[in-house]
Amino acid sequence: MALRAAMVAELGEDTIRSEAVAVAFSVVPRHLFAPGEPLDMVYDSNTPLVTKTGPDGKALSSVSAAHIQAVMLEQAGIEPGMRVLEIGSGGYNAALIAELVGPLGCRVHPLHRWSARTRRHAAQHP
């Protein structure tokens, strides 16, 4: 997808330093974790996306801006085979981590079951 490639290229200018993080952002389809959102917003590297709201309209869950996620993943130094504790919604960031740790790595997510989108992504990218 051209928008995803453009986001990765933009992040590569000042944020992404490792090939592994670049590949993870290139292969994990961010739009699957923000259904119904316009694709230009989904792939804008500085836009966080609200994914769940409460009855009062207040945000309950979100996908952080890709720029923030790239910074965190670069700082974490995640490598294939590592065990990673990811506490969150089990969405896009979990899928990025799954890509980084690879098939021999372990993603431990104790607070929530993985979302259907994360499971689908993991199944499509063993």
Side-chain angles (χ1 to χ4, degrees):
M1 162 178 271
L3 289 173
R4 189 179 331 154
M7 179 186 76
V8 174
E10 180 182 336
L11 291 170
E13 291 175 8
D14 62 359
T15 307
I16 293 177
R17 299 285 176 239
S18 68
E19 182 65 22
V21 171
V23 168
F25 274 90
S26 295
V27 301
V28 177
R30 185 173 166 89
H31 62 276
L32 293 182
F33 301 92
E37 293 293 327
L39 291 178
D40 60 332
M41 286 181 61
V42 171
Y43 288 103
D44 177 5
S45 66
N46 292 304
T47 300
L49 303 161
V50 174
T51 57
K52 185 176 182 182
T53 56
D56 59 0
K58 292 185 180 178
L60 299 176
S61 185
S62 65
V63 176
S64 298
H67 177 266
I68 298 300
Q69 290 175 304
V71 168
M72 291 187 298
L73 292 173
E74 287 290 356
Q75 289 178 350
I78 299 169
E79 296 180 6
M82 289 179 97
R83 294 181 60 160
V84 177
L85 172 63
E86 199 279 342
I87 299 173
S89 66
Y92 184 60
N93 200 58
L96 291 168
I97 291 170
E99 191 65 35
L100 290 168
V101 299
L104 301 178
C106 177
R107 289 96 44 209
V108 181
H109 194 276
L111 297 181
H112 301 281
R113 292 179 179 250
W114 278 20
S115 71
R117 289 181 299 245
T118 300
R119 288 192 303 274
R120 262 196 319 274
H121 173 75
Q124 293 170 351
H125 298 88

